């Protein structure tokens, strides 16, 4: 597989949607072929799994069920979107990937690292992201940003702040473990500064 695999991670309200626009514009302006995708989702069955996972009416799920659904969607995503995109030499930009499972299910839901690592070995033994941009924002600040958004909170956004704190700490820990893959961006800064930092990271790692 050639191409370049770029993932975007962060807690709730970190500004990933906004960051995706910055990334797309940067890639377009340099004529780099790319595709944007997301997890959970990115394929037709994956989007159906996403609906189930995010819908508050789904109610509580056993953490392991939740993790396996994330990886079921990811397996389709790898097979139908990510691998073909990379094989075609594209920059594949995914809004979340396995680091989200480590943060949300591993740390947030308390499953630990082992099941996440085991499933990653099954689903993508040969491939990790080439670059992961972690948008880091204090939990309360992120939640304040998404409060009042139309449609109401999804299943994850309804979680208590102690859950979100575990997610944030796990992301930062992972970034410390893999400094060559992660770039941590202070997403508490004003939008213009965050955008400049994202462009600088792309220039450094991808240009
Ligand atoms: N999940 C996912 C798991 O539990 N395990 C997994 O393995 C995977 C893959 C769906 C959920 O699934 C979970 C995690 C998630 O809870 P999602 O679709 O990525 O994942 O959902 P969200 O994290 O909720 O992403 P959103 O797109 O809804 O939110 P964003 O992208 O973080 O925030 P965004 O860009 O919409 O910004 C929110 C608001 O803040 C403003 C924006 O304008 C917007 O109004 N904003 C700023 N304001 C001031 N300063 C800044 N720097 C700002 N940046 C953004």
């Amino acid at each position: 597989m050639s191409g370049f695999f770029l993932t975007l991670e962060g807690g709730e309200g970190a500004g990933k949607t906004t960051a995706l626009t910055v990334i797309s514009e940067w890639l377009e302006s340099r004529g780099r072929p790319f595709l944007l995708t997301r997890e959970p989702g990115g394929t037709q069955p994956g989007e159906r799994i996403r609906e189930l996972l995010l819908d508050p009416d789904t109610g509580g799920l056993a953490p392991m069920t939740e993790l396996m659904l994330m990886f079921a969607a990811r397996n389709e995503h790898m097979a139908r979107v990510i691998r073909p995109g990379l094989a075609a030499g594209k920059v594949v930009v995914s809004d979340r990937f396995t680091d989200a499972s480590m943060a949300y299910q591993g740390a947030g839901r308390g499953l630990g690292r082992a099941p996440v690592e085991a499933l990653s070995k099954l689903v993508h033994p040969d491939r990790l992201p080439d670059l992961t941009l972690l948008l880091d924002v204090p939990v309360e600040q992120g939640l304040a940003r998404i409060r009042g958004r139309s449609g109401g909170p999804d299943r994850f956004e309804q979680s208590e702040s102690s859950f979100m704190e575990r997610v944030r700490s796990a992301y930062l820990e992972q970034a410390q473990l893999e400094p060559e893959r992660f770039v941590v961006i202070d997403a508490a800064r004003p939008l213009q500064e965050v955008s400049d930092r994202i462009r600088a990271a792309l220039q450094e790692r991808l240009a």
Side-chain angles (χ1 to χ4, degrees):
M1 265 188 280
S2 52
F4 190 94
F5 188 20
L6 169 59
T7 59
L8 201 53
E9 298 283 357
E12 306 300 315
K16 290 184 294 89
T17 307
T18 320
L20 280 172
T21 312
V22 174
I23 294 170
S24 312
E25 284 171 1
W26 190 91
L27 290 167
E28 248 163 37
S29 71
R30 277 151 186 83
R32 295 283 292 258
F34 68 98
L35 64 85
L36 296 182
T37 185
R38 68 172 180 181
E39 292 206 350
T43 65
Q44 206 239 354
E47 290 293 326
R48 293 184 73 175
I49 296 174
R50 178 187 178 92
E51 276 173 38
L52 175 72
L53 281 163
L54 266 58
D55 186 351
D57 288 345
T58 299
L61 284 173
M64 191 61 83
T65 309
E66 192 174 274
L67 179 69
M68 290 195 287
L69 285 169
M70 292 293 176
F71 270 96
R74 183 163 299 134
N75 198 48
E76 285 302 306
H77 198 208
M78 280 306 292
R80 298 190 194 196
V81 178
I82 298 176
R83 285 183 202 285
L86 293 172
K90 292 183 181 162
V91 180
V92 175
V93 184
S94 185
D95 182 350
R96 299 192 186 278
F97 191 61
T98 293
D99 294 309
S101 302
M102 193 58 94
Y104 281 78
Q105 283 68 51
R109 300 285 191 230
L111 286 173
R113 299 183 64 88
V116 185
E117 283 170 354
L119 287 165
S120 342
K121 275 192 192 126
L122 285 173
V123 170
H124 53 93
D126 51 339
R127 192 79 197 201
L128 278 178
D130 297 300
L131 172 64
T132 297
L133 301 180
L134 171 59
L135 299 181
D136 177 58
V137 71
V139 169
E140 281 311 319
Q141 193 174 342
L143 290 177
R145 285 180 185 169
I146 60 175
R147 232 167 256 144
R149 194 155 59 175
S150 65
D154 66 34
R155 252 182 90 250
F156 291 96
E157 290 164 356
Q158 289 179 334
S159 308
E160 49 198 38
S161 40
S162 57
F163 172 88
M164 308 284 192
E165 294 289 356
R166 289 196 294 281
V167 168
R168 183 182 184 209
S169 303
Y171 269 133
L172 290 171
E173 209 173 287
Q174 196 63 34
Q176 277 200 330
L177 287 174
E178 293 181 81
E180 65 297 330
R181 174 162 74 85
F182 276 84
V183 173
V184 182
I185 290 170
D186 182 358
R189 307 296 305 159
L191 216 47
Q192 187 57 46
E193 267 182 54
V194 175
S195 305
D196 287 346
R197 185 75 188 87
I198 291 169
R199 284 188 282 264
L202 296 175
Q203 185 65 33
E204 195 184 310
R205 305 284 186 109
L206 231 167

